[in-house]
Amino acid sequence: MSPSTSGAHNVFVYGTLKRGLYNHRLLERGNARFMGEVRTKRAQHVMLLADAGYPYLVKSTTDDARVIDGELYSVDDDTLTLLDELEEVSTGMYTRETIEVERREEPRATKEAYYYLAGDREDLARLPRIDAYDKALHDDVYLPKDQRGR
């Protein structure tokens, strides 16, 4: 089971890349194919909300770890590179790792996919935990990169 085969990569998205949200445009203009709504196979993460209104996933071994809902896409090499740039993998803001995901209706049919895990940051401990990242939250709090002060 591999997240990539000959230029096609499975990618699990849980935040601003989901359908109807701001950064989904990268998947729309890239060569991405929606493969369905999925969730992580294991409860091993918590989701945090950054000041600019986007979610971070961090690994957790505590009781607050949960299964994360999201969407699965098949993307080509160029689109994967675009996603790495958005998530600032080269700076360590996120790391691209692999995770097992499953469809709710087919829990035994798991797939391995890439996903973006929060890199080491000093502010992670103070960020609020959220259960999910949806359109209502996104529309209320998300600030696009070009509108943020650096």
Side-chain angles (χ1 to χ4, degrees), residues 73-92:
Y73 290 86
S74 176
V75 304
D76 62 13
D77 292 334
D78 292 338
T79 304
L80 188 63
T81 298
L82 282 174
L83 299 179
D84 284 353
E85 290 170 3
L86 171 72
E87 306 297 5
E88 298 182 39
V89 170
S90 65
T91 69

Side-chain angles (χ1 to χ4, degrees), residues 3 24 26 54 57 68 70 110 137 149:
H24 185 74
L26 295 175
Y54 53 87
L57 279 189
I68 305 297
T110 62
L137 180 60

Side-chain angles (χ1 to χ4, degrees), residues 53-76:
Y54 53 87
Y56 279 121
L57 279 189
V58 295
K59 288 185 179 176
S60 177
T61 56
T62 62
D63 290 342
D64 61 352
R66 59 181 22 118
V67 168
I68 305 297
D69 292 321
E71 299 173 351
L72 184 65
Y73 290 86
S74 176
V75 304
D76 62 13

Side-chain angles (χ1 to χ4, degrees), residues 4 15 22-23 26 31 48-49 51 56 59 61 64-65 68 70 75 83 90-91 97 114-115 123 126 136 139 142 144:
S4 64
Y22 186 81
N23 287 316
L26 295 175
N31 189 14
L48 307 173
L49 187 63
D51 293 337
Y56 279 121
K59 288 185 179 176
T61 56
D64 61 352
I68 305 297
V75 304
L83 299 179
S90 65
T91 69
E97 301 195 11
Y114 289 124
Y115 79 113
D123 67 347
R126 72 164 182 78
D139 289 350
Y142 181 68

